[in-house]
Amino acid sequence: MRERFSSRLGFILLSAGCAIGLGNVWRFPYIVGQYGGAAFVLIYLFFLIILGLPIMVMEYSVGRASQKSAALSFDVLEPKGTKWHWLKYVSLCGNYLLMMFYTTVCGWMFYYFYKMLTNGFAGMSTEQINNGFYEMLSVPQIQVGMMILVVCIGFLICSKGLQNGVEKISKYMMICLLGIMGILVIRTLSLPGAMEGVKFYLLPDFSKMTNLSEVIFAAMGQAFFTLSLGIGAIAIFGSYIDKEKKLTQEAISVVCLDTFVAIVSGLIVIPACFAYGVSPGQGPGLIFQTIPNIFVNMNYGNIWGALFFLFLSFAALTTIIAVFQNIITMTKELFNWSHKKAIIINFVLIILLSLPCALGFNVLSFIQPMGAGSTIQDLEDFIVSNNLLPLGSLGYVLFCCSKKGWGFDNFIKEANTGKGISFPRKLRFYLTYIIPIIVIIIFIQGYISLF
């Protein structure tokens, strides 16, 4: 008997937890700062609706119809004699590769939460705080230790099972995450000068876009990657739910929650940057170098900073728990392992696979796979974000729409079973021909940007 969620709220919060991650709380604020504020947000929301939402419905449909994870869902649904089941290996590799660097970055969030909580940045100059990030990366004990801590927490929760572990803990974490966000937004908006940041963030000004095509590609990429689509991380949750609700309605709920967290994250970070005269478009270092400087200069900054990095930690950890659950289920189905065996083997395997990233900033820093200054993490991120996610999503689209795959009629029947909002059948041409072109463009653009 397949496990089920105890409630629809649990399904929505856990699915949203999988989608809500570093792309929302780390990448979104600085990419908005880089590409012109509110005008970029509008373009991003447009692509989220026309690109991300349909693919999410497809993943849910494949999961619910097959009642399997991506390890066996294609085997169950594919026509006899076809090779769609090979997509399982894209999904499995994508989940492992994502965790190979995600666990390390989540460890950074935990470490900065500890530093803020213990007032570790007190009395430091701007330069010292900036350099502190690189000093942290250079210490293998910190990198490996925090990574192992994250893996232990994730697998401990997953070992309790779907309802008593993954669903229950993720539900509490998501509620805490939303509560902390509310507190931080109120604090940020009360800062002198914060309203200028709100205007930049919420009032569109298309004149700030110096390169429209670059902005559009960035918005397409962010909309595409923020939902963790293409590696079966979302499909698994479709296999755990019943047929009471139509899947478009469920997908809309998750996308709205994911978008809410991304928008509010920007509302925390960008007004704070304006209040302290800091550029919000400073890139990945914004969270670990610029933001700590802001909290150091704020009254009770160590408390607000600790809350901020706890919020980031929860956002990253909910994704890790969801992907760990997917990995455990996939390996159980693929190799017929017991739950305990899947936990133990994957626990050891994830730690070993995560070591190159954790050591890539120090002991293995001489390995620069993508050119001078690059790291092992850069390569792992590129393989997942620019290859496995788009190609995996393309696989789901073709599988659901192709006559030689599961087929559009079967997809629509599954998606529209239950009560709620129906998926429009008239979008068949768009799904079959336009979305694949968009995904291929995103894939090619990733390589153009690289070279």
Side-chain angles (χ1 to χ4, degrees), residues 23 39 99 245 265 282 382:
M99 291 299 97
K245 295 286 185 180
S265 297
Q282 292 190 2
F382 179 78

Side-chain angles (χ1 to χ4, degrees), residues 423-435:
F423 194 93
R425 179 177 284 273
K426 61 185 178 182
L427 291 181
R428 181 170 189 167
F429 179 85
Y430 170 72
L431 296 179
T432 306
Y433 300 104
I434 306 302
I435 283 188

Side-chain angles (χ1 to χ4, degrees), residues 270-446:
I270 292 176
C273 289
F274 273 77
Y276 285 91
V278 172
S279 169
Q282 292 190 2
L286 179 67
I287 296 299
F288 296 106
Q289 294 171 291
T290 306
I291 296 298
N293 275 300
I294 291 175
F295 286 121
V296 163
N297 292 296
M298 188 185 293
N299 291 331
Y300 305 106
N302 64 310
I303 296 173
W304 296 113
L307 279 175
F308 178 75
F309 283 102
L310 182 62
F311 148 62
L312 294 180
S313 299
F314 279 176
L317 195 55
T318 52
T319 298
I320 286 170
I321 292 168
V323 176
F324 279 1
Q325 176 65 19
N326 194 28
I327 288 173
I328 291 165
T329 306
M330 289 178 75
T331 50
K332 284 168 63 176
E333 292 179 357
L334 202 56
F335 304 114
N336 200 27
W337 289 346
S338 66
H339 186 70
K340 183 178 180 180
K341 185 175 182 179
I343 290 283
I344 294 171
I345 292 177
N346 282 301
F347 171 74
V348 175
L349 192 57
I350 291 291
I351 288 178
L352 293 176
L353 291 173
S354 299
L355 284 175
C357 176
L359 298 175
F361 301 94
N362 37 76
V363 177
L364 301 178
S365 61
F366 63 91
I367 301 176
Q368 300 179 7
M370 301 180 73
S374 67
T375 63
I376 293 172
Q377 183 199 19
D378 293 327
L379 176 62
E380 293 171 346
D381 187 12
F382 179 78
I383 293 172
V384 174
S385 300
N386 293 82
N387 293 273
L388 297 182
L389 289 180
L391 294 178
S393 292
L394 182 62
Y396 272 99
V397 173
L398 296 177
F399 182 67
C400 289
C401 296
S402 171
K403 293 178 180 178
K404 294 183 179 180
W406 187 32
F408 187 78
D409 290 337
N410 288 325
F411 156 64
I412 284 292
K413 181 181 178 182
E414 183 62 43
N416 291 342
T417 297
K419 300 177 182 178
I421 301 170
S422 295
F423 194 93
R425 179 177 284 273
K426 61 185 178 182
L427 291 181
R428 181 170 189 167
F429 179 85
Y430 170 72
L431 296 179
T432 306
Y433 300 104
I434 306 302
I435 283 188
I437 292 172
I438 294 175
V439 174
I440 291 169
I441 289 173
I442 293 174
F443 174 72
I444 294 173
Q445 180 62 28

Side-chain angles (χ1 to χ4, degrees), residues 133-154:
F133 177 60
Y134 298 107
E135 290 172 5
M136 175 197 72
L137 295 181
S138 69
V139 182
Q141 292 88 341
I142 294 176
Q143 294 296 293
V144 174
M146 298 309 295
M147 176 270 288
I148 292 175
L149 175 63
V150 168
V151 175
C152 287
I153 292 172

Side-chain angles (χ1 to χ4, degrees), residues 3 5 10 13-14 154-173 237 240 318 321-326 328 339:
E3 290 183 283
F5 288 111
L13 290 179
L14 185 52
F155 276 103
L156 178 63
I157 293 168
C158 290
S159 69
K160 305 296 182 183
L162 180 67
Q163 286 190 17
N164 295 325
V166 176
E167 181 183 354
K168 183 182 290 185
I169 300 300
S170 294
K171 190 186 298 183
Y172 289 137
M173 287 179 65
F237 302 118
Y240 291 136
T318 52
I321 292 168
V323 176
F324 279 1
Q325 176 65 19
N326 194 28
I328 291 165
H339 186 70

Side-chain angles (χ1 to χ4, degrees), residues 64 242-246 417-420:
R64 192 171 73 171
D242 54 37
K243 296 180 182 286
E244 288 186 6
K245 295 286 185 180
K246 294 179 179 179
T417 297
K419 300 177 182 178

Side-chain angles (χ1 to χ4, degrees), residues 48-59:
L48 193 67
I49 293 169
I50 71 163
L51 184 61
L53 183 61
I55 297 176
M56 176 171 277
V57 175
M58 291 180 187
E59 281 210 32

